[in-house]
Amino acid sequence: MYQNEPYNHSSQVPYEDIGSLKASKSVSFDLRDGDVEITGFPPSENHRSRSGDDEIRPACSSASSVLTADVIADPLSFQIVCLVVFLGDMARGIFFPTMWNLVKTLGGDQVLLGYTIASFSFGRMLVLPLFGAWSVKYGYRKTLLVSTVVLFFGTLLFGHVLSVGKHWFLLLANTFVGIGSGTLGVTVAYASEVTPTRNRTSYIAWIGAVQYAGTSATPFLGSLFVVMFSRGQDMAEDYRGLPQINEFTAPVLFMTFMSIVTLYLLYFYFQDTEHGLSTTKANSARQKLRDDVGNTTICFGRVTTYTACLVACMILNAFTKGPMSCFETLGVEFAESRFDMHRAQAGSIVATMGLIGTIALMLLRLYFNKYDDTVTISFGITFFIMGIAMNFFLDRENPQNNSDWIYVISMFMSYSIGYPICHTALIGLFSKIVGRRPQGILQGLFSASGSVARVSFPVMAGYVVSYRNIETLFVILCFVLGVSVVFVVAARDTLTRLAT
């Protein structure tokens, strides 16, 4: 009877229907990776399915992380995790329209702007592996609570930058904001743990969508605060930090409010998961195939293919996030110098493109399930390159001759299509290669690789633009992305087999 009926892991099944176990207990089926796993057994017991073909190992996950075949059993906790992701990247996006003006108000230039943007990612880089390890040791709930508290105090520090008036304090405050936002590896690990492999990229697309909304759509709010509270560059000396409300402190107040809301939801409504034993089927033919591919060695027998692919995905993450961070660093300055735009208009365009990218990720969830991740990555990077290359031949001397539509289309191809699609597919690919191993630490390292790029690329961009021009920077970024897409195409077969 069990062989002909579809298994629903979330339904409770009396033990007497399975064997000679006590009827007072119950079990549930976990269908991740398409394999059947049974939770509720004592860790020392192994059981076989009715067909007797496959050995089933226990999966010690709590009820909150239990899956149905296609959906998550605890959608509220997943939605709270999405809010944490959104808040963490809103800490970057909401300050986008005002960051360049803030640096100029403090007497800085493009180099200081580069260091300021890099300080956020530097803070993230410091804690991403640490938070990943904490999520395994202490659980997701405690780790996310700690990070959100740090983010709350970091935004308060940021609100006093103008009162202090020192460059080092700006870097310090933005570093603490970055530390509080260093949960991307934790949240992706949570999504990977509670989602089935066959649908994992589509669920990670939701994570990617809210992350991208935080980075690229919240500049709408920053631009709104500019319109509402800007006093003009001529009155920059009148700006002060909190409790004064101006274009720089209004985003801070909004961030602190959102931090409080997130802390409340995490503390009272988020249901943690328990990390248990490995739940891989012992006799899975697919697992054996993956092991055969992953255990082969390269580099004179010193590195396994599995390790090499993980490292390669981290490098790809750096090579795609780096160019994006350059746009975040110099996007407003680029619009002002090459298109004669006001920062509020530039921020609105970027936010619009980010919103379109967010919608695109939500609509393409089914696409991510149907097509290979490597194809999607290559497609996204190609669009990213095309969006950057459009800016090679702009009129530097007479920016009024450059049509605003060039900026709009460039941002659309980069912000709305290229980066969000390739980055989301890359996260999904990395998660599938990791498989059923504990994801917290590895996802932390993966996210840290992106933070390294977000630290180094903005600093590099500041120096290139200061000593050369922004067109030279665009050539460098296209070369980096070109190398990335060539690697993905060349290594497609190996990456696909490990991710299957």
Side-chain angles (χ1 to χ4, degrees), residues 415-469:
Y415 264 72
S416 301
I417 303 297
Y419 174 77
I421 289 179
C422 76
H423 182 61
T424 300
L426 180 58
I427 296 175
L429 176 67
F430 182 81
S431 175
K432 291 174 184 177
I433 292 175
V434 173
R436 300 301 300 275
R437 300 166 181 84
Q439 299 238 358
I441 297 176
L442 287 173
Q443 288 289 353
L445 292 172
F446 178 80
S447 299
S449 67
S451 294
V452 170
R454 287 186 179 273
V455 170
S456 56
F457 273 72
V459 174
M460 177 271 294
Y463 281 110
V464 170
V465 173
S466 294
Y467 291 99
R468 295 287 297 176
N469 51 61

CSV table of all heavy atoms in Angstrom, one decimal, residues 415-469:
chain,number,residue,atom,x,y,z
A,415,TYR,N,21.2,46.3,-13.7
A,415,TYR,CA,20.5,46.2,-12.4
A,415,TYR,C,19.3,45.3,-12.5
A,415,TYR,O,19.0,44.6,-11.5
A,415,TYR,CB,20.1,47.6,-11.9
A,415,TYR,CG,21.0,48.2,-10.9
A,415,TYR,CD1,22.3,48.7,-11.4
A,415,TYR,CD2,20.7,48.4,-9.6
A,415,TYR,CE1,23.1,49.3,-10.5
A,415,TYR,CE2,21.6,49.0,-8.7
A,415,TYR,CZ,22.8,49.5,-9.2
A,415,TYR,OH,23.6,50.1,-8.3
A,416,SER,N,18.6,45.3,-13.6
A,416,SER,CA,17.3,44.6,-13.7
A,416,SER,C,17.4,43.2,-14.2
A,416,SER,O,16.6,42.3,-13.8
A,416,SER,CB,16.3,45.4,-14.6
A,416,SER,OG,16.1,46.7,-14.1
A,417,ILE,N,18.4,43.0,-15.1
A,417,ILE,CA,18.5,41.7,-15.7
A,417,ILE,C,19.8,41.0,-15.3
A,417,ILE,O,19.8,39.9,-14.8
A,417,ILE,CB,18.4,41.8,-17.3
A,417,ILE,CG1,17.1,42.5,-17.6
A,417,ILE,CG2,18.5,40.4,-17.9
A,417,ILE,CD1,15.9,41.7,-17.3
A,418,GLY,N,20.9,41.6,-15.7
A,418,GLY,CA,22.2,40.9,-15.6
A,418,GLY,C,22.6,40.4,-14.2
A,418,GLY,O,22.7,39.2,-14.0
A,419,TYR,N,22.9,41.4,-13.3
A,419,TYR,CA,23.4,41.0,-12.0
A,419,TYR,C,22.4,40.1,-11.2
A,419,TYR,O,22.8,39.1,-10.6
A,419,TYR,CB,23.8,42.2,-11.2
A,419,TYR,CG,24.2,41.9,-9.8
A,419,TYR,CD1,25.4,41.3,-9.5
A,419,TYR,CD2,23.3,42.1,-8.7
A,419,TYR,CE1,25.8,41.0,-8.2
A,419,TYR,CE2,23.7,41.8,-7.4
A,419,TYR,CZ,24.9,41.2,-7.2
A,419,TYR,OH,25.2,40.9,-5.9
A,420,PRO,N,21.1,40.5,-11.0
A,420,PRO,CA,20.2,39.8,-10.1
A,420,PRO,C,20.0,38.3,-10.6
A,420,PRO,O,20.0,37.4,-9.8
A,420,PRO,CB,18.9,40.5,-10.1
A,420,PRO,CG,19.0,41.4,-11.3
A,420,PRO,CD,20.4,41.7,-11.6
A,421,ILE,N,20.0,38.1,-11.9
A,421,ILE,CA,19.7,36.8,-12.4
A,421,ILE,C,21.0,35.9,-12.2
A,421,ILE,O,20.9,34.8,-11.7
A,421,ILE,CB,19.3,36.8,-13.9
A,421,ILE,CG1,17.9,37.4,-14.0
A,421,ILE,CG2,19.4,35.4,-14.5
A,421,ILE,CD1,17.4,37.5,-15.4
A,422,CYS,N,22.2,36.4,-12.6
A,422,CYS,CA,23.4,35.6,-12.5
A,422,CYS,C,23.7,35.3,-11.1
A,422,CYS,O,24.2,34.2,-10.7
A,422,CYS,CB,24.5,36.2,-13.3
A,422,CYS,SG,25.3,37.6,-12.4
A,423,HIS,N,23.5,36.3,-10.2
A,423,HIS,CA,23.9,36.1,-8.8
A,423,HIS,C,22.9,35.1,-8.1
A,423,HIS,O,23.4,34.3,-7.3
A,423,HIS,CB,23.8,37.5,-8.1
A,423,HIS,CG,24.2,37.4,-6.6
A,423,HIS,ND1,25.5,37.0,-6.2
A,423,HIS,CD2,23.5,37.7,-5.5
A,423,HIS,CE1,25.5,37.0,-4.9
A,423,HIS,NE2,24.4,37.4,-4.4
A,424,THR,N,21.6,35.2,-8.4
A,424,THR,CA,20.7,34.3,-7.8
A,424,THR,C,21.0,32.8,-8.2
A,424,THR,O,21.0,31.9,-7.4
A,424,THR,CB,19.3,34.7,-8.1
A,424,THR,OG1,19.0,36.0,-7.6
A,424,THR,CG2,18.3,33.7,-7.5
A,425,ALA,N,21.2,32.7,-9.5
A,425,ALA,CA,21.5,31.3,-10.0
A,425,ALA,C,22.8,30.8,-9.4
A,425,ALA,O,23.0,29.6,-9.1
A,425,ALA,CB,21.6,31.3,-11.5
A,426,LEU,N,23.8,31.7,-9.2
A,426,LEU,CA,25.1,31.3,-8.6
A,426,LEU,C,24.9,30.8,-7.2
A,426,LEU,O,25.5,29.8,-6.7
A,426,LEU,CB,26.1,32.4,-8.7
A,426,LEU,CG,27.5,32.2,-8.1
A,426,LEU,CD1,28.1,31.0,-8.8
A,426,LEU,CD2,28.4,33.4,-8.2
A,427,ILE,N,24.1,31.5,-6.4
A,427,ILE,CA,23.8,31.1,-5.0
A,427,ILE,C,23.2,29.7,-5.0
A,427,ILE,O,23.5,28.8,-4.2
A,427,ILE,CB,22.9,32.1,-4.3
A,427,ILE,CG1,23.6,33.4,-4.1
A,427,ILE,CG2,22.5,31.6,-2.9
A,427,ILE,CD1,22.8,34.5,-3.5
A,428,GLY,N,22.2,29.5,-5.9
A,428,GLY,CA,21.5,28.2,-6.0
A,428,GLY,C,22.5,27.1,-6.4
A,428,GLY,O,22.5,26.0,-5.9
A,429,LEU,N,23.4,27.4,-7.4
A,429,LEU,CA,24.4,26.4,-7.8
A,429,LEU,C,25.3,26.0,-6.6
A,429,LEU,O,25.6,24.8,-6.4
A,429,LEU,CB,25.2,27.0,-9.0
A,429,LEU,CG,26.3,26.1,-9.5
A,429,LEU,CD1,25.8,24.8,-10.1
A,429,LEU,CD2,27.2,26.9,-10.5
A,430,PHE,N,25.8,27.0,-5.9
A,430,PHE,CA,26.7,26.7,-4.8
A,430,PHE,C,26.0,25.9,-3.7
A,430,PHE,O,26.5,24.9,-3.2
A,430,PHE,CB,27.2,28.0,-4.2
A,430,PHE,CG,28.1,27.9,-3.0
A,430,PHE,CD1,29.5,27.6,-3.3
A,430,PHE,CD2,27.7,27.9,-1.7
A,430,PHE,CE1,30.4,27.5,-2.2
A,430,PHE,CE2,28.6,27.8,-0.7
A,430,PHE,CZ,29.9,27.5,-0.9
A,431,SER,N,24.7,26.2,-3.4
A,431,SER,CA,24.0,25.5,-2.4
A,431,SER,C,23.8,24.0,-2.8
A,431,SER,O,23.9,23.1,-2.0
A,431,SER,CB,22.6,26.1,-2.2
A,431,SER,OG,21.8,25.4,-1.3
A,432,LYS,N,23.5,23.8,-4.1
A,432,LYS,CA,23.3,22.4,-4.6
A,432,LYS,C,24.6,21.6,-4.6
A,432,LYS,O,24.6,20.4,-4.3
A,432,LYS,CB,22.7,22.4,-6.0
A,432,LYS,CG,21.3,23.0,-6.1
A,432,LYS,CD,20.9,23.1,-7.5
A,432,LYS,CE,19.5,23.7,-7.6
A,432,LYS,NZ,19.1,24.0,-9.0
A,433,ILE,N,25.7,22.3,-4.9
A,433,ILE,CA,27.0,21.6,-4.8
A,433,ILE,C,27.4,21.2,-3.4
A,433,ILE,O,27.9,20.1,-3.1
A,433,ILE,CB,28.1,22.5,-5.4
A,433,ILE,CG1,27.9,22.6,-6.9
A,433,ILE,CG2,29.5,21.9,-5.2
A,433,ILE,CD1,28.9,23.6,-7.6
A,434,VAL,N,27.1,22.1,-2.4
A,434,VAL,CA,27.3,21.8,-1.0
A,434,VAL,C,26.5,20.6,-0.6
A,434,VAL,O,26.9,19.7,0.1
A,434,VAL,CB,27.0,23.0,-0.1
A,434,VAL,CG1,27.0,22.6,1.4
A,434,VAL,CG2,27.9,24.1,-0.4
A,435,GLY,N,25.2,20.5,-1.1
A,435,GLY,CA,24.4,19.3,-0.9
A,435,GLY,C,23.8,19.3,0.6
A,435,GLY,O,23.4,20.4,1.1
A,436,ARG,N,23.8,18.1,1.2
A,436,ARG,CA,23.2,18.0,2.5
A,436,ARG,C,24.2,18.2,3.6
A,436,ARG,O,23.9,18.0,4.8
A,436,ARG,CB,22.6,16.6,2.6
A,436,ARG,CG,21.6,16.3,1.6
A,436,ARG,CD,20.4,17.2,1.6
A,436,ARG,NE,19.7,17.2,2.9
A,436,ARG,CZ,18.8,16.3,3.2
A,436,ARG,NH1,18.4,15.4,2.4
A,436,ARG,NH2,18.2,16.4,4.4
A,437,ARG,N,25.4,18.7,3.4
A,437,ARG,CA,26.3,19.0,4.4
A,437,ARG,C,25.8,20.3,5.1
A,437,ARG,O,25.0,21.0,4.6
A,437,ARG,CB,27.7,19.3,3.8
A,437,ARG,CG,28.3,18.1,3.1
A,437,ARG,CD,29.5,18.5,2.3
A,437,ARG,NE,30.1,17.4,1.6
A,437,ARG,CZ,29.7,16.9,0.4
A,437,ARG,NH1,28.6,17.5,-0.2
A,437,ARG,NH2,30.2,15.9,-0.2
A,438,PRO,N,26.2,20.5,6.4
A,438,PRO,CA,25.9,21.8,7.1
A,438,PRO,C,26.3,23.0,6.3
A,438,PRO,O,27.4,23.1,5.9
A,438,PRO,CB,26.6,21.7,8.4
A,438,PRO,CG,26.8,20.2,8.6
A,438,PRO,CD,27.0,19.6,7.3
A,439,GLN,N,25.3,23.8,6.0
A,439,GLN,CA,25.6,24.9,5.0
A,439,GLN,C,26.0,26.2,5.7
A,439,GLN,O,26.5,27.1,5.0
A,439,GLN,CB,24.3,25.2,4.2
A,439,GLN,CG,23.8,24.0,3.4
A,439,GLN,CD,23.7,24.3,1.9
A,439,GLN,OE1,23.9,25.4,1.5
A,439,GLN,NE2,23.3,23.3,1.2
A,440,GLY,N,25.9,26.4,7.0
A,440,GLY,CA,26.1,27.7,7.6
A,440,GLY,C,27.5,28.2,7.4
A,440,GLY,O,27.7,29.3,6.9
A,441,ILE,N,28.5,27.4,7.7
A,441,ILE,CA,29.9,27.9,7.5
A,441,ILE,C,30.3,28.1,6.1
A,441,ILE,O,30.9,29.2,5.7
A,441,ILE,CB,30.9,26.9,8.2
A,441,ILE,CG1,30.6,26.8,9.7
A,441,ILE,CG2,32.3,27.3,8.0
A,441,ILE,CD1,31.4,25.8,10.4
A,442,LEU,N,29.9,27.2,5.2
A,442,LEU,CA,30.3,27.3,3.8
A,442,LEU,C,29.5,28.5,3.1
A,442,LEU,O,30.1,29.2,2.3
A,442,LEU,CB,30.0,26.0,3.0
A,442,LEU,CG,30.9,24.8,3.3
A,442,LEU,CD1,30.4,23.6,2.7
A,442,LEU,CD2,32.3,25.1,2.9
A,443,GLN,N,28.3,28.7,3.5
A,443,GLN,CA,27.6,29.8,3.0
A,443,GLN,C,28.2,31.1,3.5
A,443,GLN,O,28.2,32.2,2.8
A,443,GLN,CB,26.1,29.7,3.3
A,443,GLN,CG,25.3,28.7,2.5
A,443,GLN,CD,25.1,29.0,1.1
A,443,GLN,OE1,25.4,30.1,0.6
A,443,GLN,NE2,24.6,28.1,0.3
A,444,GLY,N,28.6,31.1,4.7
A,444,GLY,CA,29.3,32.3,5.3
A,444,GLY,C,30.6,32.6,4.5
A,444,GLY,O,30.8,33.8,4.2
A,445,LEU,N,31.3,31.6,4.2
A,445,LEU,CA,32.6,31.8,3.4
A,445,LEU,C,32.2,32.3,2.0
A,445,LEU,O,32.9,33.1,1.4
A,445,LEU,CB,33.4,30.5,3.3
A,445,LEU,CG,34.0,30.0,4.6
A,445,LEU,CD1,34.6,28.6,4.4
A,445,LEU,CD2,35.1,31.0,5.1
A,446,PHE,N,31.1,31.7,1.4
A,446,PHE,CA,30.7,32.1,0.1
A,446,PHE,C,30.3,33.6,0.1
A,446,PHE,O,30.7,34.4,-0.8
A,446,PHE,CB,29.5,31.3,-0.4
A,446,PHE,CG,28.9,31.7,-1.7
A,446,PHE,CD1,29.5,31.3,-2.9
A,446,PHE,CD2,27.8,32.4,-1.8
A,446,PHE,CE1,29.0,31.6,-4.1
A,446,PHE,CE2,27.2,32.8,-3.0
A,446,PHE,CZ,27.9,32.4,-4.2
A,447,SER,N,29.5,34.0,1.1
A,447,SER,CA,29.2,35.4,1.2
A,447,SER,C,30.4,36.3,1.5
A,447,SER,O,30.4,37.5,1.0
A,447,SER,CB,28.1,35.6,2.3
A,447,SER,OG,26.9,34.9,2.0
A,448,ALA,N,31.3,35.8,2.3
A,448,ALA,CA,32.5,36.6,2.6
A,448,ALA,C,33.3,36.9,1.3
A,448,ALA,O,33.9,37.9,1.2
A,448,ALA,CB,33.4,35.8,3.6
A,449,SER,N,33.3,35.9,0.4
A,449,SER,CA,34.1,36.2,-0.8
A,449,SER,C,33.5,37.4,-1.6
A,449,SER,O,34.2,38.1,-2.2
A,449,SER,CB,34.0,34.9,-1.7
A,449,SER,OG,32.7,34.6,-2.2
A,450,GLY,N,32.1,37.5,-1.6
A,450,GLY,CA,31.5,38.6,-2.2
A,450,GLY,C,31.8,39.9,-1.4
A,450,GLY,O,32.0,41.0,-2.0
A,451,SER,N,31.9,39.8,-0.1
A,451,SER,CA,32.3,41.0,0.7
A,451,SER,C,33.7,41.4,0.4
A,451,SER,O,34.0,42.6,0.4
A,451,SER,CB,32.1,40.7,2.2
A,451,SER,OG,30.7,40.5,2.5
A,452,VAL,N,34.6,40.5,0.2
A,452,VAL,CA,36.0,40.8,-0.2
A,452,VAL,C,36.0,41.7,-1.5
A,452,VAL,O,36.7,42.7,-1.6
A,452,VAL,CB,36.9,39.6,-0.4
A,452,VAL,CG1,38.2,39.9,-1.0
A,452,VAL,CG2,37.1,38.9,1.0
A,453,ALA,N,35.2,41.3,-2.4
A,453,ALA,CA,35.1,42.0,-3.7
A,453,ALA,C,34.4,43.4,-3.4
A,453,ALA,O,34.9,44.4,-4.0
A,453,ALA,CB,34.2,41.2,-4.7
A,454,ARG,N,33.5,43.4,-2.5
A,454,ARG,CA,32.8,44.7,-2.2
A,454,ARG,C,33.7,45.7,-1.5
A,454,ARG,O,33.5,46.9,-1.4
A,454,ARG,CB,31.5,44.5,-1.5
A,454,ARG,CG,30.4,43.9,-2.3
A,454,ARG,CD,29.1,43.9,-1.6
A,454,ARG,NE,28.0,43.4,-2.3
A,454,ARG,CZ,27.2,44.1,-3.1
A,454,ARG,NH1,27.5,45.4,-3.2
A,454,ARG,NH2,26.2,43.6,-3.8
A,455,VAL,N,34.8,45.1,-0.8
A,455,VAL,CA,35.8,46.0,-0.2
A,455,VAL,C,36.8,46.4,-1.2
A,455,VAL,O,37.1,47.6,-1.3
A,455,VAL,CB,36.5,45.2,0.9
A,455,VAL,CG1,37.7,46.0,1.4
A,455,VAL,CG2,35.5,44.9,2.1
A,456,SER,N,37.3,45.5,-2.0
A,456,SER,CA,38.5,45.8,-2.9
A,456,SER,C,38.0,46.6,-4.2
A,456,SER,O,38.7,47.5,-4.6
A,456,SER,CB,39.2,44.5,-3.3
A,456,SER,OG,38.3,43.6,-3.9
A,457,PHE,N,36.9,46.2,-4.8
A,457,PHE,CA,36.5,46.8,-6.0
A,457,PHE,C,36.2,48.3,-5.9
A,457,PHE,O,36.6,49.1,-6.7
A,457,PHE,CB,35.4,46.1,-6.7
A,457,PHE,CG,35.8,44.9,-7.5
A,457,PHE,CD1,36.3,43.8,-7.0
A,457,PHE,CD2,35.7,45.0,-8.9
A,457,PHE,CE1,36.7,42.7,-7.8
A,457,PHE,CE2,36.1,43.9,-9.7
A,457,PHE,CZ,36.6,42.8,-9.1
A,458,PRO,N,35.4,48.7,-4.9
A,458,PRO,CA,35.1,50.2,-4.7
A,458,PRO,C,36.4,51.0,-4.5
A,458,PRO,O,36.5,52.1,-5.0
A,458,PRO,CB,34.2,50.2,-3.5
A,458,PRO,CG,33.5,48.9,-3.5
A,458,PRO,CD,34.6,47.9,-3.9
A,459,VAL,N,37.3,50.5,-3.7
A,459,VAL,CA,38.6,51.2,-3.5
A,459,VAL,C,39.3,51.3,-4.8
A,459,VAL,O,39.8,52.4,-5.1
A,459,VAL,CB,39.4,50.5,-2.4
A,459,VAL,CG1,40.8,51.2,-2.3
A,459,VAL,CG2,38.7,50.5,-1.0
A,460,MET,N,39.4,50.2,-5.5
A,460,MET,CA,40.1,50.2,-6.8
A,460,MET,C,39.4,51.2,-7.7
A,460,MET,O,40.0,52.0,-8.5
A,460,MET,CB,40.1,48.8,-7.4
A,460,MET,CG,40.7,48.7,-8.8
A,460,MET,SD,39.5,48.9,-10.1
A,460,MET,CE,38.4,47.5,-9.9
A,461,ALA,N,38.0,51.2,-7.7
A,461,ALA,CA,37.3,52.1,-8.6
A,461,ALA,C,37.6,53.5,-8.3
A,461,ALA,O,37.7,54.4,-9.2
A,461,ALA,CB,35.8,51.8,-8.5
A,462,GLY,N,37.7,53.9,-7.0
A,462,GLY,CA,37.9,55.2,-6.6
A,462,GLY,C,39.3,55.7,-7.1
A,462,GLY,O,39.4,56.9,-7.7
A,463,TYR,N,40.3,54.9,-7.1
A,463,TYR,CA,41.6,55.3,-7.6
A,463,TYR,C,41.6,55.3,-9.1
A,463,TYR,O,42.3,56.3,-9.7
A,463,TYR,CB,42.7,54.3,-7.1
A,463,TYR,CG,43.1,54.5,-5.6
A,463,TYR,CD1,42.7,53.6,-4.6
A,463,TYR,CD2,43.8,55.6,-5.3
A,463,TYR,CE1,43.1,53.8,-3.3
A,463,TYR,CE2,44.2,55.9,-4.0
A,463,TYR,CZ,43.9,54.9,-3.0
A,463,TYR,OH,44.2,55.2,-1.7
A,464,VAL,N,41.0,54.4,-9.8
A,464,VAL,CA,41.0,54.4,-11.2
A,464,VAL,C,40.3,55.6,-11.8
A,464,VAL,O,40.8,56.3,-12.7
A,464,VAL,CB,40.3,53.1,-11.8
A,464,VAL,CG1,40.1,53.2,-13.3
A,464,VAL,CG2,41.1,51.9,-11.5
A,465,VAL,N,39.2,56.0,-11.2
A,465,VAL,CA,38.4,57.2,-11.6
A,465,VAL,C,39.2,58.5,-11.3
A,465,VAL,O,39.2,59.4,-12.1
A,465,VAL,CB,37.0,57.2,-11.0
A,465,VAL,CG1,36.3,58.5,-11.3
A,465,VAL,CG2,36.2,56.0,-11.5
A,466,SER,N,39.9,58.5,-10.2
A,466,SER,CA,40.6,59.7,-9.8
A,466,SER,C,41.8,59.9,-10.6
A,466,SER,O,42.2,61.0,-11.0
A,466,SER,CB,41.1,59.6,-8.3
A,466,SER,OG,39.9,59.6,-7.4
A,467,TYR,N,42.5,58.8,-11.0
A,467,TYR,CA,43.8,59.0,-11.8
A,467,TYR,C,43.6,58.7,-13.3
A,467,TYR,O,44.5,59.1,-14.0
A,467,TYR,CB,44.8,58.0,-11.2
A,467,TYR,CG,45.3,58.4,-9.8
A,467,TYR,CD1,44.8,57.8,-8.7
A,467,TYR,CD2,46.2,59.4,-9.6
A,467,TYR,CE1,45.2,58.2,-7.4
A,467,TYR,CE2,46.6,59.8,-8.4
A,467,TYR,CZ,46.1,59.2,-7.2
A,467,TYR,OH,46.5,59.5,-6.0
A,468,ARG,N,42.5,58.1,-13.7
A,468,ARG,CA,42.3,57.9,-15.1
A,468,ARG,C,40.9,58.5,-15.4
A,468,ARG,O,40.7,59.7,-15.4
A,468,ARG,CB,42.3,56.4,-15.4
A,468,ARG,CG,43.7,55.8,-15.3
A,468,ARG,CD,44.7,56.2,-16.4
A,468,ARG,NE,44.2,55.8,-17.7
A,468,ARG,CZ,44.8,56.1,-18.8
A,468,ARG,NH1,45.9,56.9,-18.8
A,468,ARG,NH2,44.4,55.7,-20.0
A,469,ASN,N,39.9,57.6,-15.6
A,469,ASN,CA,38.5,58.0,-15.9
A,469,ASN,C,37.6,56.8,-15.7
A,469,ASN,O,38.1,55.7,-15.6
A,469,ASN,CB,38.4,58.7,-17.3
A,469,ASN,CG,38.9,57.8,-18.4
A,469,ASN,OD1,38.4,56.6,-18.5
A,469,ASN,ND2,39.9,58.3,-19.1
